[in-house]
Amino acid sequence: MREPTTFHQIEDIYYPLLAVVGVLVNSLAILILSRGKCGLSRCITHYLVAMAVADLLVVFTDVILFGVIHFHFPGTYLDTTPARSLVLVLLYAATDISVWFTVAFTFDRFVTICCHKLKTKYCTEKTVTVLIMTVSVLFCLQNIPWYFVYEPEFILDNVPWGSTLSVSFYTEAAWTAFDILNIILTPFLPFVLILLLNALTVRHILVANRVRRKLLDHSKSENHTDPEMENRRKSIILIFTISGSFILLWMTTVLYFLYWQIADIFSYTGPHDPAYIAEQSGYMLQLLSTCTNTCIYAVTQTKFREQLKNAVKYPFTAIVKLVQ
């Protein structure tokens, strides 16, 4: 049993609420985006749907199976060692896939805006489909070793229960290399790639806009609009809000990990330890990132907002028609 601290009480409310919100907003995003009526290109739509599906899987494995059920319904089959090991494999795979879909989307927008020659070959539905399938398969395979890392906490009536990292995970070079690879792949390399791609995109846009403004200044028309600059602005708002929210919500986890390595911390004094609270707070913010994209679409995309309103109104209108 966990000590009933204030922080644990907050967690007991936060995770069930996050589970409900996460399932609802991601399911709505998948439903609305899949209809293709949001005024987005098919490439962008494929990426956004894939990201919503990945986020929904993270909510299901990490929040519901690993969090809510484990703490609120102890002693179920999910607490046996094989089941928990399988859930952890799915959890790690879903998290990696969700993160790398964000990277793939950021790179796609970078190519679209900055690499016009590559755009026609890379930014196609076929490429998006292949990339989504490749990322999914690779990270599912890459996380299979996690199943063999954990051992039972205790055995009752020949049934292994609980899960704890085996001693070999800390002593064998192969497991150490595997752990380092996982840390690099998620989230450090995605952090670097997203920041780099956004910086290059901003630089390209500033230069291009400066050139276009000069051309427009030489135009004889006093009242003119520039559709290309307007479309570019909308794309930038979408990409920066998605990648920006990812960076902000993962920042605590990344900073804590760096502090953990530098300070050489391997254990906590208890649930009141600031290091423990910082780590768990970062974990809570990291999982919150699974719910933010739908809010971003609703704020930045007018047509998505319209479709969302229609989806919310639909049950009520259907009930009214049945009553009438």
Side-chain angles (χ1 to χ4, degrees):
M1 294 293 292
R2 295 186 304 167
E3 182 179 337
T5 64
T6 302
F7 186 77
H8 285 160
Q9 290 174 349
I10 293 173
E11 286 183 317
D12 290 340
I13 299 173
Y14 177 81
Y15 286 115
L17 181 62
L18 183 66
V20 173
V21 174
V23 170
L24 179 62
V25 299
N26 284 299
S27 298
L28 278 174
I30 294 169
L31 177 64
I32 293 171
L33 292 168
S34 298
R35 299 181 66 190
K37 297 181 179 181
C38 296
L40 301 170
S41 69
R42 294 186 66 85
C43 285
I44 293 179
T45 300
H46 286 334
Y47 275 118
L48 298 185
V49 170
M51 291 162 65
V53 171
D55 286 342
L56 184 60
L57 290 175
V58 173
V59 172
F60 181 70
T61 56
D62 205 339
V63 181
I64 298 176
L65 295 182
F66 190 73
V68 176
I69 293 179
H70 172 64
F71 288 115
H72 293 273
F73 305 96
T76 66
Y77 173 75
L78 289 174
D79 282 336
T80 62
T81 304
R84 282 183 65 80
S85 298
L86 179 60
V87 169
L88 285 165
V89 171
L90 297 175
L91 182 158
Y92 291 130
T95 301
D96 289 345
I97 291 169
S98 175
V99 169
W100 279 93
F101 279 173
T102 304
V103 176
F105 173 71
T106 305
F107 182 74
D108 180 87
R109 294 299 87 199
F110 165 76
V111 172
T112 300
I113 295 170
C114 304
C115 309
H116 295 291
K117 292 183 179 180
L118 182 60
K119 175 183 175 180
T120 54
K121 295 181 180 180
Y122 181 82
C123 300
T124 63
E125 290 185 58
K126 182 179 179 180
T127 301
V128 174
T129 303
V130 171
L131 186 60
I132 289 172
M133 293 179 62
T134 302
V135 169
S136 301
V137 171
L138 284 179
F139 280 105
C140 284
L141 294 175
Q142 188 260 332
N143 283 285
I144 288 177
W146 284 114
Y147 185 87
F148 305 99
V149 170
Y150 293 92
E151 58 186 22
E153 293 181 0
F154 61 92
I155 297 177
L156 182 63
D157 295 332
N158 293 323
V159 178
W161 292 88
S163 60
T164 182
L165 287 171
S166 63
V167 177
S168 61
F169 183 76
Y170 300 100
T171 57
E172 295 183 5
W175 285 122
T176 302
F178 175 72
D179 187 36
I180 293 173
L181 175 64
N182 277 277
I183 292 168
I184 291 173
L185 289 176
T186 305
F188 283 98
L189 185 56
F191 248 67
V192 173
L193 290 175
I194 288 174
L195 288 172
L196 177 62
L197 291 170
N198 282 344
L200 292 174
T201 303
V202 169
R203 179 179 176 275
H204 176 86
I205 289 173
L206 291 175
V207 173
N209 285 352
R210 193 178 300 121
V211 173
R212 292 188 67 83
R213 284 197 186 97
K214 289 180 179 180
L215 293 173
L216 291 173
D217 288 341
H218 288 85
S219 174
K220 294 182 180 180
S221 175
E222 295 182 359
N223 298 319
H224 52 71
T225 58
D226 189 351
E228 183 174 337
M229 289 182 67
E230 182 64 19
N231 291 334
R232 191 180 296 159
R233 185 185 67 83
K234 292 179 179 179
S235 295
I236 288 303
I237 290 174
L238 182 61
I239 186 176
F240 281 7
T241 49
I242 290 176
S243 57
S245 68
F246 167 80
I247 290 171
L248 288 174
L249 293 173
W250 276 77
M251 184 67 72
T252 303
T253 297
V254 172
L255 292 177
Y256 175 79
F257 176 80
L258 294 174
Y259 167 76
W260 178 66
Q261 292 293 321
I262 295 171
D264 201 25
I265 297 174
F266 295 100
S267 61
Y268 310 111
T269 58
H272 298 285
D273 191 328
Y276 171 81
I277 295 174
E279 181 188 38
Q280 294 303 311
S281 298
Y283 188 56
M284 292 166 71
L285 290 173
Q286 169 190 323
L287 290 175
L288 182 61
S289 65
T290 60
C291 303
T292 55
N293 283 351
T294 303
C295 300
I296 290 171
Y297 308 151
V299 171
T300 61
Q301 303 296 312
T302 303
K303 291 186 178 180
F304 181 90
R305 191 160 55 247
E306 293 173 357
Q307 293 294 316
L308 180 60
K309 290 179 181 178
N310 293 334
V312 172
K313 292 178 182 177
Y314 179 77
F316 301 100
T317 55
I319 293 173
V320 171
K321 288 181 180 179
L322 287 175
V323 172
Q324 292 176 347

